[in-house]
Every structure is written in structure tokens, then in C-alpha cells.
Amino acid sequence: MVENLVNRHSSAVDLHLNLAPNGSRKAALSEALREAVTSGRLESGFKLPSYRALAEDLAIARNTVAETYAELVSEGWLEARQGSGTRVAHRPGSPQEEARAVVRAEIRPQFEFRSGRPDPTTFPRSRWLASARRAVTAAPTHAFGPGDPRGRIELRRALSDYLSRTRGLVTDPRRIVVCAGFSHAAEILADVVAAPPFAVESYGLPFHRAIYEKTGPTIALPVDRDGCITDELATTDAQVVILTPSHQFPTSSSLHPRRRTAAVDWARTTGGLVVEDDYDGEFRFDRTPVGAMQSLDPDRVMYVGSVSKSLSPALRLGWMAVPERLLDPILEAKGVRESTVGVVDQLTLADLIATGGYDRHVRAMRTRYRRRRAHLIHALGERVPHVATMGIAAGLQVVVTLPPGTESAVLRAAGDVGVAVDGLSRFRHPDAAGKKVDGILVGYSAPTEHTFPAAVDALVNVLASVGRVR
């Protein structure tokens, strides 16, 4: 086969065609175009080059191209409309149509209540673009060379100041390490701490737990309304414990001060490490702000945060405030060059924080989510009066407890009407002690603003249809 590439100079598109070297040029072109369509390389609606352009690029007669196009139009492969040129026709069952069907099946349901999903319409595009423009303009030339594994100094300085001011951290830019979110930090830590097991809360994100379990089984610590029962650490052989002290996920409890102290004392006594996941730490409503646990002992507590809830999970931007003794091992595990977070995003976030844009955005989101939470709680109380909720003081989700054995029925009913919501059992550690609690986790940050009232109505109708919840 002779490979031909239609070039940009004559046709304005690149089009790769395989033309048989022997036989009729018209037959070869016809077969090559059919193959490009059936394989999915040319999608429905793709505009083909003009007769003249394609003839010139393939070194064949213009009439040959015109006759081939006409033949394929008559067979239904192509379609020609006055003024819009010749395009690939819509063909049901084609690879691209099947691919679109898969995409349609994966499109978000009508009402989105799954947790960990901030409203995507709230991303501060104008502020982000303005910060990007300023940051890129002001950045030194060397910023666009190989990256420092610690991250850009501009961002580390901005984070050190911001976290000290808003979360009470005790750190400095040298001990801040930029990463691509909490999962990336967990992967690095799993490489650094070679001696399992890791202790985790009995309820948490399963994909985070899976990272630690690559090194061996994890130990499940029970959780109640005062957060993780850290006293039980003393009965384990754990080397590391991962906690969500400011806002336990998914129960939304805050770790009791005495239990914070117990975890730090355990780390000091055993030489262990506490990893503080500051999940939803920015969003608090009905309680006094809770500072970061890291301030109790910066040498024994490693703090991890990200912008996944405050800005967008699509940014893949996070940070670690690292104890001195772990700084070199973490940088070695991360690699000699920054390969996970783009320099432009780092510079942009640094500018957004330094100019106050990040603070303003977080405050605006806190107001919006507080209003949504009130709307949801009012609707549940008014229309499903026997509902019980947990975790309403902070965070971006509410736990609705259900009668034993009804969680699956609620999830099925929700799915039938296009309501996406997580079951509480999804987050339960397989080795968790105690009685399993049926419930759903309602992430009220996920729906867009204009769909939120209808989304709440649909959710409440599901709960009412399955039966009275308590």
C-alpha cells in the first residue's frame, strides 16, 4: 500500500489514506475512504477536502475525486449539501456512533449527589485566567525549565503563609512539597514508609485505602461521633495512622481534642507518623473553626491538603507539610524533577492566594454551600420527618441514616429516577468492627445551582417512596 497524507497547505486538514499502488485510482480512493469511515478514523460530519485539494495532494485527476465522492454519496457513505461541501454521513452502528453511545451511558445522571464533587460551574474562571496572566508574565525564565521536586517556590511561599494564617500550621516554604492531590501524597508515603501496616479510619475513601494496602493489610480504627477512636492505636503494630481530624469522611465528625492528643502521644512514644488529611477543612458552618492537628507536633504529623473541593479536582493540585526527618526521603521518592503538577498551574495558584482571590472564592463557596445545606435539611425535616442526619456542621455532605436493610433499596430507587448518591456501606472498611449502619451520603455541593431545588425534590421523593427513615 502507498501511504498518502493530505497536507495542510492545499486542503487545510491532514488526512491519512492508504491507496493501493496498482489498479484503478478511483477504486483505490473509494476503498481508502470506505476504510477510513468504517474504522472510525473519519467521524460522522467530518468535512472532506475539496475535489481540487484532494486531487492535488494525491496526484490524481480532479474528475477521479469528483466521481469517487459522487459514488460514495449515492451509497450513503458521504453526504453533499450545497454550500457546506462533502461530509461523512451519519451511519448508525458505526464505531464512532457506538463510542458515542458508550459516552452517553457514562454521562452524569440527571441529579448528582455523589460526594467529593464541587459544583463545576463555580470554578472562578475569570480570577484564574487573570492570575495565570499575571503569574506567567512575572515568572522568571528558569521557571519554564526542569522543575524542582518540591514545587515552585512562589507556591510554597504562598501556601506556607496561607496555611499558617487559616489552618494554624507550623511550617515554612522549605518543608512544603507540592503534589498532585492526596492520592499522590499517599502513593509517595507508601514508598517512603516501607514497614506496614497502616492504620486507617473504619470509614473512608476505598481508593485511598487501596494505595496503602499495596504494602499489606490495613488496620481499621473505629469511628464515632467524636471522630476516630485513637486510643486503640496503642493496641496495634501500626507505623502510620491516616486521620481526617477536622472533618471525618464520610461521617463528618470532628476529632475530639483528647483523641488528637492521644494520636500525637502515640506517635511520640512509638516513633510513628500521623498523616492529617484536611478533608473539606475550609467548609465549616455551625461550629468554631477547628485548626489543623499538625500544630500539636510538626515533627510527628504530616499535613496534606488540596484544591479538589475548594476549586476543582481537575486541577490535580495538592501539598504536603512534611516533618523534617521525612523531607529528604519524600523528595527522593517524588523524583529529581517535578513531573506531576504543571508549572503554570502552580504559579497561577500562588498568585490567586497571594492576591486574595482564593480567600474570596472560598468564602463565597462557603456561603453558597451553607445555603444549600439549609435547603436540604429543611426539605428532609419537612417532607420526611423521621429522617436522621449526621455531619451537618461542616463539609460538603450529609449522612442520612436508614432502617436496617434498606440501603440497597434506596440506591436502586434513586438510580431509577436519575439520582446519583453514594451508599454509606461503600466507605466501610471490610474489617470494621461493630454493627453496620445503613445510610446514604448526600453530597450537596455536586448539583449545579439551577438544578439544586429539583435535585433535592427528587432525592426526598426517593426517600419517601422507600419508606420512613429514622
Side-chain angles (χ1 to χ4, degrees), residues 292-311:
M293 184 175 171
Q294 185 262 9
S295 63
L296 295 178
D297 193 334
D299 293 326
R300 291 296 171 187
V301 182
M302 187 174 91
Y303 174 94
V304 184
S306 79
V307 299
S308 62
K309 309 302 182 299
S310 57
L311 286 175

Side-chain angles (χ1 to χ4, degrees), residues 284-285 365-374:
R284 54 197 179 274
F285 307 112
M365 291 303 95
R366 193 180 296 141
T367 299
R368 174 175 293 202
Y369 293 145
R370 180 185 287 111
R371 184 173 65 247
R372 289 189 180 195
R373 183 203 60 158

Side-chain angles (χ1 to χ4, degrees), residues 163-195:
L163 295 172
S164 175
R165 171 170 55 85
T166 64
R167 306 297 295 127
L169 256 68
V170 179
T171 189
D172 58 72
R174 193 179 62 83
R175 298 205 297 176
I176 297 288
V177 177
V178 177
C179 59
F182 187 84
S183 294
H184 183 216
E187 290 170 354
I188 295 172
L189 186 65
D191 287 339
V192 169
V193 183

Side-chain angles (χ1 to χ4, degrees), residues 174-463:
R174 193 179 62 83
R175 298 205 297 176
I176 297 288
V177 177
V178 177
C179 59
F182 187 84
S183 294
H184 183 216
E187 290 170 354
I188 295 172
L189 186 65
D191 287 339
V192 169
V193 183
F198 290 84
V200 298
E201 295 166 332
S202 59
Y203 280 86
L205 289 167
F207 66 90
H208 284 171
R209 186 171 66 244
I211 295 172
Y212 303 118
E213 289 177 344
K214 291 178 181 178
T215 66
T218 54
I219 298 171
L221 299 176
V223 172
D224 61 19
R225 292 185 178 274
D226 287 329
C228 183
I229 303 178
T230 54
D231 291 343
E232 296 203 5
L233 277 168
T235 67
T236 74
D237 57 350
Q239 299 292 307
V240 180
V241 59
I242 294 86
L243 300 174
T244 52
S246 294
H247 174 228
Q248 203 285 324
F249 180 86
T251 66
S252 298
S253 58
S254 179
L255 188 60
H256 192 279
R258 187 186 61 78
R259 293 182 178 179
R260 291 184 172 218
T261 302
V264 171
D265 287 345
W266 164 84
R268 289 169 176 164
T269 300
T270 64
L273 176 69
V274 177
V275 178
E276 177 178 12
D277 177 3
D278 198 18
Y279 194 93
D280 288 352
E282 303 94 341
F283 300 106
R284 54 197 179 274
F285 307 112
D286 292 341
R287 68 183 184 208
T288 303
V290 179
M293 184 175 171
Q294 185 262 9
S295 63
L296 295 178
D297 193 334
D299 293 326
R300 291 296 171 187
V301 182
M302 187 174 91
Y303 174 94
V304 184
S306 79
V307 299
S308 62
K309 309 302 182 299
S310 57
L311 286 175
S312 168
L315 286 177
R316 306 311 307 147
L317 257 172
W319 48 83
M320 299 176 275
V322 181
E324 183 70 36
R325 63 193 174 95
L326 290 178
L327 185 58
D328 287 342
I330 281 177
L331 291 176
E332 183 178 353
K334 194 166 186 279
V336 296
R337 293 184 178 181
E338 172 57 73
S339 60
T340 56
V341 183
V343 66
V344 173
D345 282 347
Q346 293 188 55
L347 293 171
T348 301
L349 180 59
D351 181 89
L352 192 67
I353 294 173
T355 58
Y358 187 71
D359 280 88
R360 289 189 290 274
H361 176 74
V362 169
R363 286 198 300 270
M365 291 303 95
R366 193 180 296 141
T367 299
R368 174 175 293 202
Y369 293 145
R370 180 185 287 111
R371 184 173 65 247
R372 289 189 180 195
R373 183 203 60 158
H375 182 127
L376 173 64
I377 297 302
H378 176 76
L380 291 171
E382 185 176 68
R383 296 172 53 189
V384 194
H386 297 282
V387 70
T389 59
M390 297 189 304
I392 65 173
L396 302 178
Q397 62 274 328
V398 167
V399 175
V400 177
T401 57
L402 302 171
T406 62
E407 182 177 310
S408 295
V410 169
L411 293 176
R412 284 195 300 271
D416 289 343
V417 295
V419 175
V421 66
D422 290 317
L424 190 58
S425 60
R426 173 174 175 256
F427 305 100
R428 180 180 167 90
H429 194 291
D431 299 331
K435 186 177 179 181
K436 175 180 174 293
V437 176
D438 281 47
I440 58 172
L441 189 63
V442 182
Y444 54 80
S445 63
T448 58
E449 191 75 357
H450 73 279
T451 64
F452 187 74
V456 171
D457 285 343
L459 175 67
V460 172
N461 288 339
V462 166
L463 292 172

Side-chain angles (χ1 to χ4, degrees), residues 95-156:
Q96 58 266 37
E97 287 302 312
E98 292 177 358
R100 288 193 183 100
V102 172
V103 171
R104 284 194 293 270
E106 294 177 351
I107 290 177
R108 292 182 305 168
Q110 184 178 7
F111 301 117
E112 179 64 83
F113 278 112
R114 284 173 290 188
S115 60
R117 299 165 184 249
D119 180 354
T121 66
T122 63
F123 183 78
R125 301 186 189 212
S126 297
R127 283 177 179 160
W128 187 262
L129 286 172
S131 284
R133 188 176 299 110
R134 284 192 300 267
V136 171
T137 300
T141 302
H142 69 261
F144 301 99
D148 186 326
R150 293 171 296 180
R152 285 299 306 173
I153 183 60
E154 296 90 342
L155 179 56
R156 291 187 285 118

